[in-house]
Structure formats: C-alpha cells, structure tokens
Amino acid sequence: MSELIRKTAAELADALAAGETTSVELTQVHLDRIAAVDGDAEAGVHAFLHVDAEGALVQAAESDARRAAGETRHLLDGVPIAVKDVLTTQGLPTTCGSKILEGWVPPYDATVVRKIKAAGLPILGKTNMDEFAMGSSTEHSAYGPTRNPWDQTRIPGGSGGGSAAAVAAFEAPLALGTDTGGSIRQPGAVTGTVGVKPTYGGVSRYGLVALANSLDQVGPVTRTVLDSALLHELIGGHDPLDSTSVDVPVGAYVEAARQGATGDLSGLRVGVIKELAGDGWQPGVMQRFAETVDLLKELGAEVTEVSCPTFVHAMATYYLILPAECSSNLAKFDAMRYGLRVVPDGDPSAEAVMKATRDAGFGDEVKRRIMIGTYALSSGYYDAYYGTAQKVRTLISRDFAAAFESVDVLVSPTSPTTAFPLGEKLDDPLAMYLQDLATIPANLAGVPGISVPAGLAEEDGLPVGFQVLAPALADDRLYRVGAAVEAALTSRWGGPILAKAPTLEGGR
Amino acid sequence: MSDTLVPFDEVVAKYDPALGLEVHVELNTNTKMFCGCPTEFGADPNTQVCPTCLGLPGAMPVVNGKAVEGAIRIGLALNCSIAEWCRFARKNYFYPDMPKNFQTSQYDEPIAFDGWLDVDVDGETFRVEIERAHMEEDTGKSTHVGGATGRIHGADYSLVDYNRAGIPLIEIVTRPILVPAEKAPAVARAYVAQLRDLIVALGVSDARMDQGSIRADVNLSLAPKGSTTLGTRSETKNVNSLRSVERAVRYEMSRHAGILDAGGKVLQETRHFHEDDGSTSSGREKSDAEDYRYFPEPDLVPVAPSREWVEELRATLPENPTQKRARLQEEYGFSDLEMRDVWASGALPLIEATVAEGTAPQSARKWWVADLLRRANDAGVELSEVGVTPKQVAEVQALVDAKTINDKLARQVFDGLIAGEGTAAEVIEKRGLALVSDDGPLLAAIDEALAAQPDIADKIRGGNHAAAGAVIGAVMKATRGQADAARVRELILEKLS
C-alpha cells in the first residue's frame, strides 16, 4: 500500500508543490486503493457507486501539466476528491442512490462540482448514500450498503456513509457530502473522520438534488480539520444561481484552523447542551464526550451548561418539514424525461407508467416519507402539522440565539451511539431517526456544525464524534475549536485516530 | 349532452349574476421568471431551456427582478397595495407539461392586493375591485399528434415544448363583480379591454390575446333576484378574445339559468369555450378534494420591494388609458361614436402619432379607422402591422392637402406603400397618380360631357348647382380620377354662369 494515501490533503498539496509526487500518481494510488478495498454491494467497503478512473486521470494529467507550466489554480490543484452521488456531475452518472435515477447523466455540474473542477481537483467518482439522502446508515441505498472500514459488519453512518467511508478507508483524501439532518457529521462520527455542515446558505446548493431544500447543505468530509477548512474555503461563497446563498465573503477557515491547532482556547466560552446528552446515550460515547469537555477546559475555555428546551421537539419538527419538502421535490420523477421508466404490459396509460415506475424506482423509506409529507401538507392538516412544525422551528432558532448570547460555541456528542451492526435498525425507522438527535437542531436553525473524532468507545472500540456548533456565519469558530481538540487528542493518542483502524484487505 | 339555454332577456328578468375574472398576463421580460433563458415567441421547440426551467434534479430558481418590477407596476396601475414582504409558494399538482410537477406561484402572500379598476360601459362607470395580482410561471405547451381533434384523446403520442415553461405571468383576480344582469357581458368585456389597454400603456406585455399573452378565465354564478347568497360558479378557462369574453358570460348565464329553471344544481367545474359557436363545454369537475398542498418555496428568498423603489415605480406610471382617452377625445373633437370606433380598433396610439406628425385629427382618424382598419382585417393582422406607419399617413394627407392627390388617389398610394413600392412620392410617380393640375384638359372634358348631356347644362344655368355632379362624375371618369373635383366644379359653374 502506498504511504501516499495515508497523507492528509494538506500534506499532499505540499508534496505536489515540492515536486515529490504528481497528481497522476496521487490519483492512481487512490484508484488502486479503491480497486483493492472498495468491492461491491456484496463485500468490501462499497463507498463508491461510480468510479471515473479515466476522467480522474485526465484531470490529474492536466493538473500536472499546469503545475509544470507554473499555472497552479489552487493549493489543492491535483489533490483527488470523491463526490457524494447527490451532486450533479456533467457527463458522470448521478443516481442519488436511487433506482429511479439509474443511468441518468446530468447535462450540468453542481456549483460546488464546478468549483472543484475549476480548482483542478480530479474527481475519483461518486459515493454511495441512502436513497435521496434518507437514512442514517447508507443501508437505504438502492445499490447496496456501504460498510464501515472499522468493522465491515457495521454501518458507516448515513446518508453520506459513502463519502465518510471513502475518506476513512483511504480511498480518497477529501470528499464532498451533504447534511440535511446530520448526514455529514454523523457518518464522520462513526467512521472517525471530520465532517462539517456549513452555515445554511454558506455553500451553494445549486446542483444538489434536494432532499429538503430548507435544511440541505453541502460540506467537506476529510481526515483533518485543516483539510476541511481548505475544502470549505474552496467551495464556499455566494452563487447567483442559488438565491438562498448568502452574499458575504468566505471566512478565513484555514487561518482559524491553524490558530486553533496551537492549542490555545483561552477566553472561549463553551456551552454544553443539557438536552443532548444523558439517559439513552451510549456510556462509551458519554465518556469520550466528558473527556473532551475537560480537554477544552485544559486549553483555557470556560465551560458552562446551557439549556435549549425546545431541542426535545427537534426530531418531530424535522420529520414533518423534511417529508413535506421531499414529497414535493420527488414528484418530478414521472418516468417521462429521464431516469427509469417501467412500462407495464398491455397498452398502459401515462399514469400507469408513472405508477409502475415509482413503485419500482423508489425504496420503502422514500415512499414512507413521500406519504408522510403529502399528508402533512394536505389541506386540513397543514396547520396542525407543517404549520406547527415551522413555528417550533422558529423556537429552536430562538433557543440557539439565546444560548449564543452567553457562549461562543455549543458542544455535544455528535451521535448517541457508535456504529451499529448492519440491519439492526433497518426495520425500525424511529430507532434509525434517533441517530440524528444531536445533529438535527443545527439544520433546523441553519447554524454550522462540525464533528471531530473524540476517540474510541471502550465497550466496542469504535469511533466517537464530538460536535461543535456555532452561530450562523461564525463557521471559523468550528475550525478553531475543532483544530484545538484534534491537536490535543492526536498527541494524546500518539497519532491520528484512523491509524488505529484495521488495515483493510488488498492494497499494494 | 346539449345545454338548455334560457333566452338572455329571461335570465336578466329572473337572476342576478356574480362575475369574477382571472386574467393572466404574460410579461415581456427578456428572460424567464426563474432562470436566464430567453423568452422569444415562436422559437424552435425546446431551444430556450436550461436545467432550471426543465425542472432537472438539482436545479434551482432565482427570481427575475424585471418580472417583479412588472408585477409592481401592474399592481400600482390597478390601485393596489404593494406587499412589503411576500413569498413564492409551490402549487403541487400533476400537469404533463409542467416539468417540476409543481408550479411556482404566490398563494397567500401576493405581491399586490386590494385595488380597483373603473370600467366604462356606454358612459356608465362600474368599479371592479381587484382582490390580488400575483406572480407565477407559465407551463410548457403540449402538442398531441395522431388524433383527429388535436386533443390528447385518440392521439398516438404527445410532444412537449418547454420554451414557454417559466415565462413570467401575472394573474389578476377580481372580487365578485356585482352588476345589473343585462350589463354583465359588456362589463366583463370592457374590464378585460381596459385591463389590456392598461397593460399596453405600461409596456409590460405584448398584450396579444391571439397569442395568449393575455388570457382570461371567466367565473360566473347566478342567484335568484334579491337573493343574498352566491350561486355555484363555473370557471370558463383561457378565453382569448374580447368578443369571446362577452359571449362566454352570456352563454354561461343562459346555461346556468337553464339548469336552475329546471330545478337542477350547477356543478362547480372548469369549462372550455368554443370560438365557433360561442358555447362552453365541461372540462373537469372541480371538487373540494383537489388539494394543491401549497407551501412556501424553500429555494427562494422572500421578495421585499423597498418602499423607495415602489414610489419610484409609481412616479413613472404612464397616464391612465381611460383618462388619456377622455383627454384626447376632447382635444381631437371626436364624437362619442367616433371615439368608440377609434378605441375598439386600437387606432388611438396610431392616430396620436399621426397627429404628432402634423395631420388634422379627423383626417388621421378617417385614414386609420375607415381605410386602413379594413385592410388590416382583410389581412388578419393588427392595425399596427398593416404596413403603413403614422408618418406615412401624415405624408399622404399632406399631399391631399396640397391637392397633389385626392382621397381616392390616396387609397392607391396606400396600396403602393403596402406593396413596398417606395415613398408616397415615388408611388405617385411610378403609378402616375398625380391630379391633373392644368385647366385645359379639364375644360375639354367638361365640354365633352356637356355636349353629351345638353339638358344638364340647362339645369345648371337655371340655378340647380347640384346637377353639376353628373358632369363632375363624367370628367372624373374621363381623367381616370386624376382631376380635382372641386376645381372641376368651379370650372363648370364659371362656364355656365
């Protein structure tokens, strides 16, 4: 196995700049790693749905040519990346983990994809996900589950399990994910990687196939906080094609990460969210969380407990707003213009074709949410469900606003448990939904959050995530705190947490 | 099933109508409501589309500021309040040529609301209250191929053109218009006509009913005279001429009365209007079960027009067409009847432009309404597209005034102008149309005519000057119309006095 794949994106960028390697070599070693460990729906990590070896190598060769001519476009020019299959990629399939989009090749790039292409990052391929980003385990992918590199009998989190597993398994140094209720942070937590959900509107959603438009956000999935900061600065910023994108300059995330890594958090006010911990949370998760909070104190932070009483309603609120929006978004899949078309026998009507296609093309979880959302929006129920949910959403935002009057950041465990065994919660949607208990409030309020590795739970030896939340547009605080925690823990562990993960089969 | 129709006079005697009009105006912005695609009419199918207006997965809308401006201008012209803050909503329903399977529209938060338009019918003014004017996007257009009727029923396949999908629309909705029954059809027509004139004056739409850039839905219900509750309404969709608006109201009144007289119940449904015989037929039944599941469009930020901007737009509103019409009638000295014809033909702006070129208003009116309108009707085009400009009309009239030509010759000059034979002077030159200015040939022709009709000469000599007409006619014939009739008359009278 090439040692290159163990390097962080920042280190790879340095190696490219120093002429110690080439983009083609970097891209090839990651393609080799994918070939060796990724496997398929039956076995292996199965982080990728589509691998674009040819396209990635062409992009890498172009990057090398640029670098040779002294025309590097970006610090990360030439560093390969994986992209969650919910982002449109011109000329490369985009399925959203669904049968209904099988074979669809978009004619356009998502804005974030356009940005990474423009910066010269070769795209290795598209990563697996729960169908239309609905799920917390990547078991709802129509193309088979992704497996956790720490233990392949376990889930890698969801819906962005593919992106997190690809980064954790050293198949890609960087990945893009999307986070609607925790789909970047929770997979980050259970795979020992770093995941960031930026401020809503901080990164363009144009080309992100919407799950719930008012909650979705694109963000980085990486192995270090600094790598996330680098990627976040690259993809962030106003996009005229997305009217919900905020028109403010991108923050100095890299600088914040470097500053945080010095380990000084003196004067920082940290609030521990009372409602996001305690009974029902895995003891090993709570233990690592408590240790990390102590660590913050050691680094000079003032830690207090804060209460956000409406957070207990966040789950119910989320599961009304999300299905409502997704029921509307998914109505466009009518079998007429792209994707799957199932034609029943005989001389079927357009309606019959649509019905058969949706029946075959949408999975159970998707159908469940379409039905809930349709019901929640229907006249006579709108006020009781969707309308009330929007009011509670406002209250949750107020809880955040009140909390951020007394503290600079809020912290909690990212997920109540470590990675659970594949299949365990598949037939229990409510148990599955609880995985996102701690991450959902940030999406409802539009505030940013990060999950950084906090160590391994004693009882199962699996990664635990530490979540930091900041006020809207104060994403830089995530990088400062995240980098400080990361630096302190890495030195305590004697190296990155992923070094403790099992060596996967294969490699060269 | 044929409808039982009650004669209009009987309907009027027994029932009171409640009328409601929903008028859709397609704005003439350069780009679509939510994307940068061009909006040119008549382009090849699916050449003006992008991921957003095709509703492709991942694509997002962005509001066209020009469309918002157009909506505000319409709202202000209709005396509406302009929302300080409003949102778009998704109207979820299935429609084959609606690519997202929801229409982005405004629901409970329209950009403009609570206005009015005063409508004149035969010198009487009716105030039509405007409930709201809201922004939305148009759908695509389906063509059903293979069937006999061009409808989806019986077709082999359907083609969809998304060029129109996403064109900005403003929907203007009235409150129930309560007018004397006999006036209802005329008020409906006058409202749409006046609204169209307003839109034209604002310059926000091509306002072509024949191209669907303005189309009206006619809501109508009847209640027994004196009743205070509204009856069940029908909604006749996409009526696309002023005459059809009037006919649709009249037909629905007669049809509803037929049902009510027979003790039946009017169905709440949408109906199609048929141009050929002025009838309507059932579309789909509208039940309470129809549920659009409206909710705020999460991909769009709210629209919050600043008060300064609204006031700037208010300050630049053009003169109200109704007031302008009254002012010009006064200035030009047109009778009510003349003005009605001018207005109905859409000639007023052309007459105004012709007068601005120095022509007397009555002369300008005569050419546009009497002569050029007939040519436009024959060619099936708008008066403004007849092929003659106000400047040319002014030139022709100047030549008439200078006695270079007369009215009859002027018509031949217009023929030449329309045929593209050059300027008026060139047409006269080429066709040899100038009046005979020399008295010699005229006197010769007079002598000849008098010789042929000696009794006429006696009558004229006896003081019957009207008898000169026969001689003038003969002279005109002999000169192929190129004589100045007034001069011929003078010469005859000189000769015989």
Side-chain angles (χ1 to χ4, degrees), chain A residues 88 104 107-108 200 205-209 213-214 240-244 324-325 327-329 331-334 337-338 354 374 377-379 382 386, chain B residues 50-52 54-63 90 92 94 96 98-102 162 288 290-291 293-301:
Chain A
T88 60
W104 185 55
Y108 75 111
Y200 183 79
R205 288 186 295 114
Y206 186 79
L208 158 59
V209 181
N213 320 54
S214 72
L241 296 176
D242 173 0
S243 81
T244 66
E325 292 183 11
S327 72
S328 171
N329 290 328
K332 68 175 55 152
F333 296 100
D334 57 8
R337 288 159 294 146
Y338 43 78
M354 209 181 305
T374 304
L377 284 177
S378 56
S379 68
Y382 180 95
Y386 186 81
Chain B
C50 72
T52 293
L54 287 174
L56 291 186
M60 293 178 69
V62 176
V63 175
R90 291 188 183 180
N92 292 282
F94 175 75
M98 193 168 64
K100 295 174 291 188
N101 278 323
F102 60 80
Y162 290 111
D288 292 337
E290 185 157 30
D291 187 346
R293 292 176 285 116
Y294 283 103
F295 73 103
E297 165 58 90
D299 278 339
L300 288 171
V301 290

Side-chain angles (χ1 to χ4, degrees), chain B residues 106-170:
Chain B
Q106 291 195 298
Y107 175 49
D108 49 356
E109 300 168 299
I111 181 102
F113 53 93
D114 290 348
W116 46 266
L117 182 67
D118 278 342
V119 172
D120 295 323
V121 178
D122 302 333
E124 208 178 337
T125 300
F126 298 89
R127 176 156 291 194
V128 173
E129 290 184 19
I130 308 293
E131 183 181 299
R132 58 189 284 159
H134 70 250
M135 301 179 274
E136 61 184 35
E137 59 180 339
D138 213 341
T139 61
K141 183 171 175 289
S142 305
T143 309
H144 307 293
V145 182
T149 58
R151 300 221 168 150
I152 193 162
H153 192 76
D156 292 332
Y157 59 92
S158 299
L159 299 171
V160 184
D161 176 6
Y162 290 111
N163 282 353
R164 202 179 67 188
I167 301 254
L169 286 180
I170 307 299

Side-chain angles (χ1 to χ4, degrees), chain A residues 169-196:
Chain A
F170 302 100
E171 295 173 273
L174 299 166
L176 287 178
T178 61
D179 190 314
T180 305
S183 294
I184 289 174
R185 290 163 289 158
Q186 181 256 1
V190 302
T191 59
T193 55
V194 175
V196 177

Side-chain angles (χ1 to χ4, degrees), chain B residues 2-146:
Chain B
S2 74
D3 298 316
T4 308
L5 300 177
V6 174
F8 191 69
D9 288 349
E10 290 176 29
V11 181
V12 164
K14 286 175 69 176
Y15 297 100
D16 281 328
L19 183 65
L21 291 153
E22 294 170 19
V23 176
H24 288 86
V25 179
E26 229 176 48
L27 297 183
N28 59 1
T29 51
N30 292 328
T31 56
K32 292 187 181 180
M33 186 78 222
F34 299 116
C35 66
C37 284
T39 54
E40 199 184 313
F41 182 80
D44 284 344
N46 296 310
T47 55
Q48 303 186 346
V49 293
C50 72
T52 293
C53 58
L54 287 174
L56 291 186
M60 293 178 69
V62 176
V63 175
N64 180 343
K66 275 282 168 197
V68 175
E69 181 181 317
I72 293 174
R73 282 163 57 82
I74 289 175
L76 290 172
L78 291 171
N79 306 292
C80 288
S81 301
I82 304 302
E84 297 197 19
W85 191 92
C86 64
R87 282 185 294 192
F88 282 94
R90 291 188 183 180
K91 183 180 185 181
N92 292 282
Y93 65 105
F94 175 75
Y95 197 63
D97 45 23
M98 193 168 64
K100 295 174 291 188
N101 278 323
F102 60 80
Q103 183 184 30
T104 308
S105 180
Q106 291 195 298
Y107 175 49
D108 49 356
E109 300 168 299
I111 181 102
F113 53 93
D114 290 348
W116 46 266
L117 182 67
D118 278 342
V119 172
D120 295 323
V121 178
D122 302 333
E124 208 178 337
T125 300
F126 298 89
R127 176 156 291 194
V128 173
E129 290 184 19
I130 308 293
E131 183 181 299
R132 58 189 284 159
H134 70 250
M135 301 179 274
E136 61 184 35
E137 59 180 339
D138 213 341
T139 61
K141 183 171 175 289
S142 305
T143 309
H144 307 293
V145 182

